[in-house]
């Protein structure tokens, strides 16, 4: 079966809150050596919403050159300013990214027609592969399977979706609605624990955050799925299930993921862009205990 685990990678920052290029390169090597199938830069975990555009462009250049086609590279080019989104998307593709991922407009709850118009206009002007990003908990809007199918019918360069929803039934409905007509359309789950259900339903895997600090676990799970090794998949599922407790340590999970990476030996500063606060001592102890129980450290 087709099965890939793509890491929505964190963005390492320096003590002044700027993107730390060298630390990010170390993170990419950590993921590649851990066996991950691909890297999404500037997703939600990558704090796309809090970083200046020129720094993001510099990081795209450096990242694409560093990764050098060893794994798939997607860039989150999300922006509420439409022209900026178009320009950044084409910049990333020109720099050598394999595709861009764009979240639907956020803040207002929008009708289907407005979101369709957004993606129609975007796909017409972006010169390469576009993946949709559905995250209703952050946008206030849900990309429905029939809306996705209509977009894919109209635009050959809309090639996939990351579906970050709390019920696998939603992602399964996308698989059933779109892949019957477009079997190569990529459907990824946004939550780690849905990886196996996704691929068993005919999807393509997940783009999910635990792989930032446990790439070998994620890569092993994907490899077991590709080998149709059900016993190994069961063992990996239980490992991932235990690690899902990481998301419950604090309301905002990005600082928790970064601290877990440091505890796993990744050389980086765990600081986040304001207003996110770094993990405190109590949270760090909870993270350490979760990692020990899962035998990650």
């Amino acid at each position: 079966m087709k099965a890939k685990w793509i890491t929505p990678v964190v963005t390492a920052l320096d003590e002044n809150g700027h993107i730390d290029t060298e630390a990010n390169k170390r993170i990419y090597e950590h993921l590649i050596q851990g066996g991950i199938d691909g890297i999404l830069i500037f997703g939600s975990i990558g704090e796309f919403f809090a970083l200046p555009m020129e720094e993001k462009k510099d990081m795209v250049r450096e990242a694409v050159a560093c990764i050098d086609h060893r794994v798939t590279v997607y860039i989150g080019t999300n922006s509420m300013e439409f022209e900026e989104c178009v320009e950044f998307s084409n910049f990333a593709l020109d720099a050598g990214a394999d595709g861009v991922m764009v979240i639907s407009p956020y803040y207002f709850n929008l009708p289907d027609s407005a979101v369709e118009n957004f993606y129609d206009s975007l796909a017409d002007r972006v010169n390469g592969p576009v993946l949709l990003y559905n995250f209703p908990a952050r946008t206030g809007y849900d990309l429905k399977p029939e809306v996705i199918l209509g977009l894919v019918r109209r635009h050959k360069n809309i090639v996939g979706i990351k579906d970050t929803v709390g019920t696998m039934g939603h992602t399964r409905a996308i698989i059933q609605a779109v892949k019957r007509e477009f079997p190569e359309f990529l459907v990824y789950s946004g939550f780690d624990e849905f990886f196996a259900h996704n691929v068993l339903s005919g999807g393509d895997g997940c783009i999910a955050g635990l792989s930032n600090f446990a790439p070998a676990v994620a890569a092993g799970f994907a490899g077991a799925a590709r080998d149709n090794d059900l016993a190994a998949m069961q063992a990996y599922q239980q490992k991932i299930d235990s690690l899902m407790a990481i998301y419950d340590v604090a309301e905002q999970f990005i600082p928790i993921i970064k601290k877990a990476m440091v505890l796993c030996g990744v050389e980086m500063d765990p600081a986040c862009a304001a207003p996110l606060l770094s993990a405190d001592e109590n949270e760090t102890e909870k993270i350490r205990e979760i990692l020990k129980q899962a035998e990650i450290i």
Side-chain angles (χ1 to χ4, degrees), residues 250-297:
E251 184 68 27
Q252 284 295 336
F253 57 82
I254 300 171
I256 305 305
I257 294 285
K258 287 187 173 183
K259 178 60 76 169
M261 293 172 71
V262 171
L263 293 176
C264 288
V266 180
E267 187 181 347
M268 60 177 286
D269 189 318
C272 295
L276 300 184
L277 300 175
S278 297
D280 60 27
E281 290 185 13
N282 180 54
E283 291 164 346
T284 299
E285 207 46 51
K286 290 180 181 177
I287 299 165
R288 184 178 285 109
E289 185 59 31
I290 292 167
L291 296 177
K292 284 183 177 178
Q293 287 183 357
E295 300 180 332
I296 302 296
I297 59 173

Side-chain angles (χ1 to χ4, degrees), residues 77 80-94 100 102 116-130 151 154-158:
T77 53
M80 283 292 283
E81 205 289 295
F82 181 74
E83 292 298 328
E84 182 175 81
C85 184
V86 171
E87 195 274 333
F88 189 28
S89 296
N90 286 323
F91 172 89
L93 291 164
D94 289 344
V100 297
V102 181
E116 287 181 272
N117 181 66
F118 170 79
Y119 280 121
D120 281 332
S121 302
L122 185 74
D124 282 342
R125 294 182 56 189
V126 171
N127 305 317
V130 176
L151 290 168
R154 293 193 294 276
H155 303 283
K156 291 182 178 179
N157 62 329
I158 294 182

Side-chain angles (χ1 to χ4, degrees), residues 48 77-83 85 101-122 131-143 147 151:
F48 75 87
T77 53
N78 316 292
S79 176
M80 283 292 283
E81 205 289 295
F82 181 74
E83 292 298 328
C85 184
M101 181 174 291
V102 181
I103 199 166
S104 53
Y106 44 91
Y107 189 77
F108 284 112
N109 186 9
L110 298 171
D112 291 347
S113 56
V115 176
E116 287 181 272
N117 181 66
F118 170 79
Y119 280 121
D120 281 332
S121 302
L122 185 74
L131 287 85
L132 313 174
Y133 182 11
N134 186 42
F135 198 173
R138 295 293 179 269
T139 63
Y141 168 83
D142 179 40
L143 266 174
V147 169
L151 290 168

Side-chain angles (χ1 to χ4, degrees), residues 25 29 59-70 73 95-96:
K25 289 180 180 179
E29 291 299 330
M59 190 68 252
V60 167
R61 293 189 198 96
E62 295 284 350
V64 171
C66 171
I67 297 168
D68 194 25
H69 304 290
R70 288 177 288 170
V73 178

Side-chain angles (χ1 to χ4, degrees), residues 152-167:
V152 176
R153 282 173 173 165
R154 293 193 294 276
H155 303 283
K156 291 182 178 179
N157 62 329
I158 294 182
V159 300
I161 185 169
K162 177 184 179 184
D163 194 35
T164 304
V165 293
T167 56

Side-chain angles (χ1 to χ4, degrees), residues 183-214:
E184 297 306 311
F185 184 77
L186 302 168
V187 181
Y188 294 108
S189 289
F191 288 112
D192 314 71
E193 63 187 324
F194 293 154
F195 173 82
H197 195 159
N198 179 295
V199 298
L200 289 170
S201 296
D204 297 273
C206 70
I207 302 176
L210 297 179
S211 53
N212 275 285
F213 61 83

